[in-house]
Amino acid sequence: MPDAPALDAWSDLRRLRYFAVLAEELHFTRAAARLRVAQPALSQQIRALERQLGVPLVHRSSRGCTLTEVGARVADEAARLLAEVDAGTARIRDLVRGRGGRLRLAYTRSARGGRVDALVARFRAAHPDVEVVPETAWTAPNVAGLLAGRLDAAFVRPPVDEPALACRTVDTEELLLALPAGHPLAAGRRRITRAEVVDLPAVMWPRENGPGMFDRTIAQVWPRGGFRLVRQEPDDEQLLRAVAQGDVVAAVPAGRARALRLRGVRLRRFTAPMPTVDIALAWPRDSTNPALRRFLALLD
């Protein structure tokens, strides 16, 4: 049994396109006009395709042509193949022009809502053709994902000391002191001084989750020392639950703390200068992802 004929991708796509149009028109003159080629050139390409496949595809007559049985099946396959090629070509063109594509984006666990969610919502609305692939992790895993090429962009808590990454601040939020409802500092107080939190038993998440934010928090809330860590919890919700149990205090970002609103926890502001933490977007400096460029354009 002879081997199936091999098709040379680019030249045969043209021949298949010619044949697909001829199969629709069933008339060489009309098909040639539609393709904007000379009729002899169209006839030549159809005969070349028939020789290549080793079977006749059309029955020719003075009034036009009809498809052979094999020709009808080849026409169906050609139509499906050409539709896929055209769709793929359009996707490639959109990628080059910065349309469509995919954005692998990571949130940081301590910063959801506010300007972060608003920025992503604006991007989705402005570019519905871009597939946003979201995930959520701490700053350290997000940075690792960017460096490994697994992420296109990530929200992080700066500072981030990685020369390969660019970083731009998106928002700044205040740090609040979370106190058990029955704590003396929670009674009738609106502002807390730094001196009042020295040596109070505190709960914090592990430093390796976000070293920059951890150190910045300690430096602002306990600038002269006296940070007494007695407990660690994996995330802000568990941290606030620990506070609600009545044994510890915690410094937490205002947005996250107010969004969780756990019973048994009181939030108090610090006296000036108010401690703050930033939320930033980080991305690889050498990225060529057009979808990322469109996302960064919203920051401007």
Side-chain angles (χ1 to χ4, degrees), residues 12-295:
D12 293 325
L13 279 176
R14 182 182 62 174
R15 288 173 182 168
L16 287 174
R17 194 175 298 280
Y18 283 5
F19 177 65
V21 172
L22 179 63
E24 292 178 3
E25 297 292 342
L26 294 178
H27 196 282
F28 276 89
T29 300
R30 291 197 300 268
R34 181 172 156 189
L35 289 165
R36 297 184 180 180
V37 298
Q39 182 176 330
L42 173 61
S43 297
Q44 182 181 8
Q45 291 299 319
I46 300 301
R47 291 190 183 280
L49 181 61
E50 289 176 319
R51 287 195 302 269
Q52 190 173 10
L53 297 178
V55 292
L57 299 176
V58 296
H59 297 298
R60 296 160 176 82
S61 71
S62 59
R63 293 185 297 178
C65 64
T66 58
L67 299 179
T68 65
E69 181 179 351
V70 173
R73 295 170 63 183
V74 171
D76 289 340
E77 292 297 331
R80 281 193 287 269
L81 175 61
L82 292 169
E84 292 178 6
V85 170
D86 290 343
T89 301
R91 288 194 295 270
I92 292 172
R93 187 180 299 113
D94 286 344
L95 284 172
V96 172
R97 294 175 179 175
R99 301 172 183 165
R102 182 174 63 165
L103 183 70
R104 300 167 299 173
L105 176 68
Y107 296 94
T108 179
R109 289 191 182 279
S110 64
R112 289 300 305 268
R115 292 185 182 178
V116 169
D117 283 4
L119 179 64
V120 177
R122 282 176 55 207
F123 180 75
R124 289 180 182 274
H127 307 292
D129 52 338
V130 176
E131 178 190 8
V132 178
V133 184
E135 60 180 75
T136 302
W138 288 97
T139 288
N142 285 350
V143 168
L146 291 170
L147 294 175
R150 191 177 56 79
L151 294 171
D152 298 305
F155 291 103
V156 298
R157 291 290 192 177
V160 174
D161 187 19
E162 289 292 347
L165 301 181
C167 198
R168 188 179 301 180
T169 299
V170 173
D171 199 4
T172 299
E173 58 181 330
E174 188 177 347
L175 281 172
L176 303 178
L177 184 68
L179 297 156
H183 196 283
L185 292 179
R189 300 288 301 275
R190 292 189 176 181
R191 299 274 183 168
I192 305 297
T193 67
R194 306 305 198 274
E196 289 174 305
V197 299
V198 170
D199 291 331
L200 289 181
V203 59
M204 193 72 165
W205 36 263
R207 183 179 182 276
E208 56 265 27
N209 289 353
M213 180 181 177
F214 188 101
D215 293 344
R216 181 171 175 176
T217 298
I218 304 307
Q220 293 182 91
V221 177
W222 290 272
R224 295 180 177 84
F227 173 59
R228 185 158 69 95
L229 181 65
V230 299
R231 182 170 173 176
Q232 287 188 323
E233 294 293 342
D235 55 41
D236 291 326
E237 182 174 359
Q238 295 305 316
L239 183 150
L240 290 173
R241 290 189 185 281
V243 172
Q245 292 172 7
D247 299 322
V248 291
V249 301
V252 290
R256 188 68 172 149
R258 288 169 175 157
L260 291 170
R261 289 189 177 277
L262 293 186
R263 178 178 296 181
V265 176
R266 298 292 182 267
L267 301 176
R268 294 294 181 265
R269 302 178 73 188
F270 286 95
T271 55
M274 290 182 297
T276 61
V277 287
D278 294 332
I279 305 166
L281 183 73
W283 67 93
R285 293 184 184 275
D286 61 357
S287 174
T288 58
N289 185 349
L292 173 62
R293 290 200 300 268
R294 297 166 75 187
F295 189 62

